[in-house]
Amino acid sequence: MTGDPAARPIARILVDSPLPQLDRLFDYEVPKEFAHLVAVGVRVRVPLRSAGRVLDGYVVELAEEEDPTRVLAEIEDVVSRAKVLPPRLHRLARAVADRAAGSAVDVLRLAMPRRMVRAEKTWLASDACDAPVVLGDERARAGEVLAAYPGLADALDASERVAVDAPPGVDDGLPAWTLLIAAAAAHTLAGGRSVVLAVPDHRDLDLVEERVARLVPRSAIVRIDAERPGPDRYAAYLRTLEPAPCVVIGNRSAVYAPVVDLGLTAIWDDGDSLYEEPLAPYAHARDVAVVRQSLDGGALMFGGHTRTSDVERYVAIGFVRDVPAARRLTARVVLGAPQDTPQTGRIPSAAFRAAREALEQGPVLVQVARPGYAPSLVCAECRSPARCTHCGGPLHAPARGATPVCAWCARSAAGWACRTCESTRVRLASSGSERTADELGRAFPGVRIIVADGAHPVREVPDEPALVVATRGAEPLAPRGYRMVLLLDGDRMLQAPELRVGENCLRWWSNAAALAAAGAPVHLVGVTGSVARALATGTHSAYAREQLAERRPLQMPPAVRVARVEGDAAVVEAALDRLRGEVDGLAADAVLGPVPADEQGRRRSRALVRFAYAQGPAVAGSLRAAVVQAAVANRSRKQPKGSGRSRPAPRTLSVRLDLVDPDL
């Protein structure tokens, strides 16, 4: 502020608009009647002359305009005096948007729940929260857990970036890995700093919340969950704005929580696909956490039963420090060939005998690839895939002896005939969770069978003999651990046409094996090679390094960054030409494509751009400028009202950076 009496107070506003050309701050004059209400972070409504309408926005900065000749529009209204956008959150949103070639307001839509007036009024009328206190016994317990990882507590205090291999097994009725995460949170909160814990899904969220509540006061825990009602979500967000430190537990959006004095950001199992944001600007939670740590400080911890190639790249370049456990616990893994005797079917005889013995002591977990009875069918004669005669979708069997049903249009395929050989008989090409349960029920008569998948969610099973058939990621918790874990369909899982199929399979198998009791065997059926050896020997980090080394000469992520450019063919070509001219050092083979992607008669195309991490800011800036240019061109191409001409179709351009699994 200059103190010049002729200067006018102004506010720099970020307007809430999806138009990329509006992704900047606009200056508005502050009317005298709103001078006492306008503050950094409040919601306002402002006119937009170019659009001829009033938009919502956020006050990002306050300043003074000294030029008396400059004409500025005035703020039309102040929505609320609640300061919901602190500078630290806007700074993070701007940095994430710039890295991902997106808009800051799109990032804020992911970070801030929808406004709920009643919850906001209650928060404004309430007193400030008191600083939570972690009791001595809980602090001692947290210290004991962290002591199993030499140097981890010091790394947290020094705000370092670390990668930790979590312990397998079950501890006090909960997975042992939750104790490690909770201990790190309690240690940080006891030091007077806030914590953000991100987990993949709601089941993990429940487990972590229950464990953390045993070490820190319940009042200090803030749960950010998209499945909760709107008022609860907004109230939780408002709590993160309080000056008192807290522990935020949530899914991928939790990494944006604007807590005060961030001391630790921990991401559990960062290889899970649920961390991939499906909305623009598509920033992965792992990347957001790295950006935030560089801005706000605090420690950054990656934990899991396995190691992704992304985190291993960080370790290789010295960006993240590997903190090994003082004593590495690995599962007793047995590798077996499938169907070595006709009597055991899909289960090798050794695993069959081990399952019988384990059932005398408690539950046995059987992991399968897919839910349902028979997820896919083939012709019994020529083995051609069975397809629906109406839409061409794949047929599946919902139950034993049932008429095949199309997975796309849900029509029954009564009277089906193969288009190749005209046979009318089908056979089961794969076994889902329900068919596996049916087979095991006949093989183990008198044993209770429990199915756990998306259609039959089961959180926990009793500690008594039972065969638990679960799809990957849906395995229930056994309070004292499973007496045996049987991993089926491994060869089928590895056949998925994905870049990270080996990493994903190792993660699925390791997470299931971690549910076994101490000393319980883990049988992996029908899989050999490096991924099986990594599971059997516990060398997950070495496998991640191997994957990273294989991708470097192929220029595939995470060895390099990959962007996808998609839209009208002419606009894509213009964007690629601009990119080649503006980014120095871009390799000659950096661009793959463009390839046709015709849609409803429109000539569209898409391309992949591979580039080094050091080129990231230049590539993101060039592609973002191309998106803005296309949007501005669309606006200028609109015909004026009353011209009698039809409005031309918009020439779109979309950009997505950091593809996890590129597919051209």
Side-chain angles (χ1 to χ4, degrees), residues 256-321:
Y256 296 104
V259 294
V260 64
D261 194 11
L262 180 62
L264 169 65
T265 302
I267 296 186
W268 167 255
D269 200 12
D270 67 290
D272 197 297
S273 60
L274 291 175
Y275 284 120
E276 300 174 29
E277 180 56 60
L279 302 176
Y282 315 106
H284 195 286
R286 176 180 53 241
D287 298 330
V288 177
V290 171
V291 171
R292 183 171 189 181
Q293 197 268 346
S294 67
L295 295 175
D296 298 342
L300 176 60
M301 184 170 74
F302 296 104
H305 294 305
T306 184
R307 182 76 56 82
T308 62
S309 56
D310 304 84
V311 173
E312 188 59 32
R313 187 188 73 85
Y314 286 145
V315 173
I317 64 177
F319 186 76
V320 171
R321 183 161 68 92

Side-chain angles (χ1 to χ4, degrees), residues 396-420:
H396 69 96
R400 185 180 183 185
T403 302
V405 176
C406 177
W408 290 358
C409 66
R411 285 188 172 96
S412 297
W416 175 88
C418 178
R419 295 179 179 179
T420 304

Side-chain angles (χ1 to χ4, degrees), residues 196-333:
V196 172
L197 306 179
V199 295
D201 58 30
H202 65 93
R203 298 194 321 139
D204 296 327
L205 196 53
D206 293 338
L207 296 173
V208 172
E209 183 179 18
E210 182 178 345
R211 177 73 81 174
V212 172
R214 300 179 183 180
L215 295 179
V216 306
R218 175 68 70 171
S219 60
I221 300 176
V222 181
R223 176 167 176 154
I224 297 180
D225 186 358
E227 296 186 355
R228 301 180 71 185
D232 293 345
R233 292 182 60 197
Y234 191 60
Y237 173 78
L238 295 175
R239 169 60 182 90
T240 63
L241 300 173
E242 294 280 355
C246 61
V247 178
V248 174
I249 306 173
N251 306 129
R252 59 175 176 262
S253 61
V255 293
Y256 296 104
V259 294
V260 64
D261 194 11
L262 180 62
L264 169 65
T265 302
I267 296 186
W268 167 255
D269 200 12
D270 67 290
D272 197 297
S273 60
L274 291 175
Y275 284 120
E276 300 174 29
E277 180 56 60
L279 302 176
Y282 315 106
H284 195 286
R286 176 180 53 241
D287 298 330
V288 177
V290 171
V291 171
R292 183 171 189 181
Q293 197 268 346
S294 67
L295 295 175
D296 298 342
L300 176 60
M301 184 170 74
F302 296 104
H305 294 305
T306 184
R307 182 76 56 82
T308 62
S309 56
D310 304 84
V311 173
E312 188 59 32
R313 187 188 73 85
Y314 286 145
V315 173
I317 64 177
F319 186 76
V320 171
R321 183 161 68 92
D322 188 6
V323 180
R327 179 171 175 265
R328 172 66 177 170
L329 301 176
T330 59
R332 183 162 60 91
V333 179

